[in-house]
Amino acid sequence: MIYGVALLAGCMFVGSFIGNLLGLLTGLGSDIGGVGFAMLLLLILTNSKKFSKIMPEGYVKGLNFWKEMFIPVVIAMSASQNVISALDGGILALVSGLGVVVVGFLLIPVFNKFTSKTAVDEEKTEAE
């Protein structure tokens, strides 16, 4: 699990740098999407075939662990910030946030129809 922490830290450093640079360029003076840029950079690096070929297997497993942990943590952090902002923003922000969630739930059956049965069956046989 310790493998890949340096790459994760490097991605975070580069992402924060890009986010702060965007903040300065837009005149806001704060980080704009630094964690998101770090997450994208980590995904691009770890999904690269060249990267997987040059890294030992232990490093690849460690990086996959951190990749899988990083995304849910970032989503949970941003979701909690959005809820706090919505509660502070008033009734319009709260209603629009709830509306998006309801629409998302209603679209699940629609997206499910686009999923082919063979792809689902293949995933089940791979898991077994």
Side-chain angles (χ1 to χ4, degrees):
M1 307 242 188
I2 197 94
Y3 296 122
V5 176
L7 182 68
L8 177 67
C11 289
M12 190 64 201
F13 177 74
V14 171
S16 293
F17 177 76
I18 294 170
N20 284 322
L21 185 64
L22 280 174
L24 288 174
L25 291 175
T26 58
L28 294 175
S30 65
D31 187 355
I32 298 177
V35 175
F37 287 117
M39 184 172 56
L40 285 174
L41 184 60
L42 182 68
L43 287 172
I44 289 168
L45 286 175
T46 56
N47 289 332
S48 168
K49 289 182 182 179
K50 290 181 183 179
F51 185 79
S52 296
K53 287 180 183 177
I54 63 172
M55 286 289 159
E57 187 177 337
Y59 286 96
V60 174
K61 287 182 180 179
L63 286 171
N64 285 334
F65 169 78
W66 286 113
K67 178 178 68 172
E68 291 171 4
M69 289 301 296
F70 191 55
I71 295 171
V73 168
V74 169
I75 291 171
M77 286 172 31
S78 66
S80 66
Q81 289 175 348
N82 290 340
V83 169
I84 293 169
S85 298
L87 291 175
D88 288 341
I91 191 71
L92 181 62
L94 191 61
V95 169
S96 62
L98 288 173
V100 169
V101 171
V102 169
V103 169
F105 282 141
L106 292 175
L107 286 176
I108 290 173
V110 175
F111 290 137
N112 196 22
K113 289 185 184 208
F114 290 114
T115 305
S116 67
K117 298 291 182 187
T118 56
V120 173
D121 293 336
E122 288 175 8
E123 287 180 12
K124 286 181 181 178
T125 56
E126 288 177 7
E128 294 173 354

